[in-house]
Amino acid sequence: MRPPLDRARSDRPRRSLTRWVPAALGAIATAAAATIAVTATPPAWADEDPPMDVGTLAATAGCGTPPTLTSGAHSIQSSGQSRSFILRIPSNYDNTRAYRLIFAFHWRGGTMNDVASGGTSGTAWSYYGMQEQSNNSAILVAPQGLGNGWANSGGQDITFVDDMVQLIENDLCVDTTQLFAMGFSFGGGMSYAIACTRANVFRAVVVYAGAQLSGCSGGTQPIAYFGIHGISDNVLNISLGRSLRDTFVRNNGCSSQGPPEPAPGSLTHITTAYTGCQAGYPVQWAAFDGGHLPGPVDGCACESGVTTWTKAEAWSFIAQFQTTPPPSGQNGTITGTQSGRCVDVPGSSTTNGTQVQLWDCHGGGNQRWTYTASKQLVVYGNKCLDASGQGTGNGTAVIIWDCHGQANQQWDLNANGTITGVHSGLCLDAAGAATGNGTQIQLWGCWGGANQQWTLQ
C-alpha cells in the first residue's frame, strides 16, 4: 500500500490500489501461509546472548567527529549487491549528542522514496510520521527492498540492515541502545524479522498490518513490540498480526490475555498495553475498525498521514525508552575536561541562589555531588544543582537550591561527557570557555566544546 492518502476508506478493493494489490495478494498470501526459514550470519556486535543492560548508553565511533554522511540517498555494497537507502540527519545535528536511529521499511511495491517523502500526506507522514514526531531527535533511515519487497532470501535483508547500522554508527553519533524498526505490510514483516533476529541490537519494533513474510530466525529473545492491525484487513488477516504479537507476549513474559478490539462500524481503535511483561520489554496492541492501512483516522472511513492516530502512538511507544543514567547514588566531584577543575560551591556556602563555579579540586563537601535516581545532583545532602529561576536561555546561572524535584533540578549525564538540563535541554557550561578559579557555571546551548564536558568521579 502507498503512504496514506486523504481519501475515503472502504473494505472493498479500490481502483487506487490496483497497481499493486493483485501482485501483493498472491505473493503475500503465499509467504504468510508458509513457514519461512531464513538465516543470516550475525555480525560480531550482534551475538546471540541477550544484552546485559538494554538501557546503558554506548556512544558510537561517529560521536565527536565531523560526519561525512549527509541527508539524502546513499548506496552501499551488501551481500555482493548494490543496495540503497535514504538517510535523514536532524537539521540541528550535534556530533556530541547520541541520537536514536529509526529504520522505516516500505510495503510491497513501495519504495524508499515513498517512505521518506510521506507521499501525498507530505512530511507529516515521512518515515511513518517519525520525522514530524521526533522533532530532530532521531536519525531516520528508509531502506530500499529488492524488487520493492523484503523476501530476505538467505537472510540478505538482515545483512543489509547490519551493514547500514555499521556504516551509520561509524559516521554519526548514535545511542546504540536506541535502535528501532517499523514498517507496513511487507515492511511490517521485515520489522518482525528484525525483532526475531536482532533483538539484542534493536530496542523495539512497530509492526503495521504485518505477517511472517520475511522469516523469523531465532525469535526467542525479548524485545519491545507494538503491533497495529485492522479488524477487516482483507490482505493480511488480523489473525496473522495477532500471531506475531503473541510471539513476543511469550518471549517478554507478559500475562496471557485477549485484548479488546473495536466493533465493525465503530470507526475507532483500542490500544492495549499487556501486563506482567518483563521490565523494559512491553508489548502493546492496537486494533482498529478498518482494513489494510497504516494511517487510519478515528471517526471517519478515511486514511490520512496528517491526522492518523498511529504516528503519535508509535512515537510514544518509542520515546518511552530512555538511556539509563549512571547508577543512582554515584558520588564524586564533577571535573571539567577542559579546565581540570571541579564544580564548586563558593566558600562552602549553603545559601539558596549561590552560583557554582570552577575551583581547584580538593574533594571537600562543597565539591562532592551525588547523582540520584530522580536525576538530581545533590550537594551537602539537601541542596540541588538548579537552573536559576527555571531559566531555559543561554547564560542562565547554575546555582544551589533546596531540593524540590522540579525539572530545573534534573540533569542527564550523557555518554559524550555533557550534562544537560532536563527542563532546558541546555548544557552545563564553563562561562566563556574559561578555565581559571572562579569561572562561573551556566547553561548554554550544546555545541561540543570541552568546556561543556564533565566527569563525575
Side-chain angles (χ1 to χ4, degrees), residues 351-405:
T351 302
N352 284 342
T354 301
Q355 186 169 5
V356 295
Q357 63 180 4
L358 289 180
W359 202 267
D360 292 332
C361 299
H362 52 66
N366 65 321
Q367 292 186 348
R368 298 200 66 82
W369 303 86
T370 299
Y371 190 65
T372 74
S374 301
K375 296 190 174 185
Q376 295 170 319
L377 282 163
V378 180
V379 67
Y380 307 138
N382 63 351
K383 299 289 183 180
C384 278
L385 199 67
D386 179 291
S388 181
Q390 299 190 342
T392 59
N394 285 341
T396 297
V398 177
I399 62 174
I400 61 168
W401 199 272
D402 293 333
C403 297
H404 51 61

Side-chain angles (χ1 to χ4, degrees), residues 389-445:
Q390 299 190 342
T392 59
N394 285 341
T396 297
V398 177
I399 62 174
I400 61 168
W401 199 272
D402 293 333
C403 297
H404 51 61
Q406 296 183 39
N408 68 313
Q409 292 187 347
Q410 295 177 326
W411 307 88
D412 287 323
L413 275 58
N414 304 308
N416 59 14
T418 60
I419 298 176
T420 50
V422 169
H423 180 59
S424 67
L426 302 179
C427 275
L428 198 70
D429 177 285
T435 60
N437 283 338
T439 298
Q440 292 188 323
I441 305 301
Q442 62 181 5
L443 293 180
W444 202 269

Side-chain angles (χ1 to χ4, degrees), residues 215-283:
C216 179
S217 178
T220 60
Q221 297 179 22
I223 186 172
Y225 188 90
F226 185 16
I228 301 172
H229 218 114
I231 62 171
S232 303
D233 192 326
N234 60 357
V235 176
L236 295 172
N237 188 273
I238 191 171
S239 63
L240 299 172
R242 294 179 188 131
S243 177
L244 304 191
R245 173 201 70 197
D246 291 346
T247 298
F248 294 100
V249 170
R250 292 188 297 271
N251 291 357
N252 298 6
C254 308
S255 301
S256 179
Q257 63 188 86
E261 295 177 351
S266 63
L267 298 178
T268 60
H269 78 282
I270 300 175
T271 301
T272 301
Y274 274 73
T275 60
C277 303
Q278 180 180 337
Y281 295 101
V283 171

Side-chain angles (χ1 to χ4, degrees), residues 4 116-126 306:
S117 71
T120 57
S121 290
T123 56
W125 188 239
S126 294
V306 177

Side-chain angles (χ1 to χ4, degrees), residues 42-102:
W45 44 266
D47 59 56
E48 290 301 320
D49 293 327
M52 292 296 292
D53 182 348
V54 295
T56 303
L57 182 149
T60 58
C63 294
T65 61
T68 60
L69 290 173
T70 58
S71 294
H74 297 270
S75 295
I76 60 172
Q77 289 295 310
S78 180
S79 299
Q81 302 177 83
S82 179
R83 301 295 300 266
S84 300
F85 64 93
I86 294 176
L87 178 69
R88 185 185 186 277
I89 301 171
S91 59
N92 58 350
Y93 175 74
D94 174 1
N95 65 22
T96 68
R97 171 187 176 183
Y99 289 82
R100 292 183 180 92
L101 178 59
I102 302 175

Side-chain angles (χ1 to χ4, degrees), residues 64 96 334-339 416-419 427-430 448-455:
T96 68
I334 302 174
T335 307
T337 298
Q338 180 186 48
S339 64
N416 59 14
T418 60
I419 298 176
C427 275
L428 198 70
D429 177 285
N451 69 313
Q452 293 186 343
Q453 295 176 342
W454 310 89
T455 303

